Amino acid sequence: MKTLTLQIPDSLDERDAKILLAAKLYEKGALSLGQAAELAGYSKRTFIELLADYEVSVFDYTEGELEKDLSDAKNYHI
C-alpha cells in the first residue's frame, strides 16, 4: 500500500477526511468495499453504515435494473 501525506485545514478532522476520501474512491469504483473500509479505518459493516452520511450507495443498480428485478420478483412463483 502507498502512503500519502496531505496537509488539511485545522477545521477538518483527519478521520472525516479519510472517510470522505474512501467513500468517494469507493463510489467511483477505484476501491472495493473492503479496501475503502480499510482506508477509512473501519470494518466493512461500519463503513457501509457511514456511506449514507456521504450519500454513497452500496448498491450499484440503475433504475432500469432495479425495476426489472422488482418485476421479476413479482412474477416469481414457488
Side-chain angles (χ1 to χ4, degrees):
M1 190 176 283
K2 295 179 183 177
T3 300
L4 174 67
T5 303
L6 295 174
Q7 292 183 341
I8 58 174
D10 292 334
S11 60
L12 185 61
D13 182 74
E14 182 180 338
R15 175 166 257 158
D16 289 337
K18 282 184 178 181
I19 297 169
L20 178 60
L21 178 61
K24 289 303 172 182
L25 289 172
Y26 170 72
E27 182 178 43
K28 288 183 63 169
L31 294 179
S32 69
L33 181 64
Q35 290 169 325
E38 183 179 342
L39 175 62
Y42 290 95
S43 68
K44 285 183 187 178
R45 179 184 173 123
T46 300
F47 186 69
I48 288 170
E49 293 171 1
L50 291 171
L51 285 175
D53 295 338
Y54 296 88
E55 299 180 7
V56 175
S57 176
V58 177
F59 304 103
D60 190 21
Y61 274 110
T62 65
E63 186 176 342
E65 291 171 327
L66 182 57
E67 287 176 0
K68 182 176 181 329
D69 281 355
L70 289 171
S71 175
D72 290 347
K74 287 178 186 175
N75 295 324
Y76 182 76
H77 301 285
I78 295 178

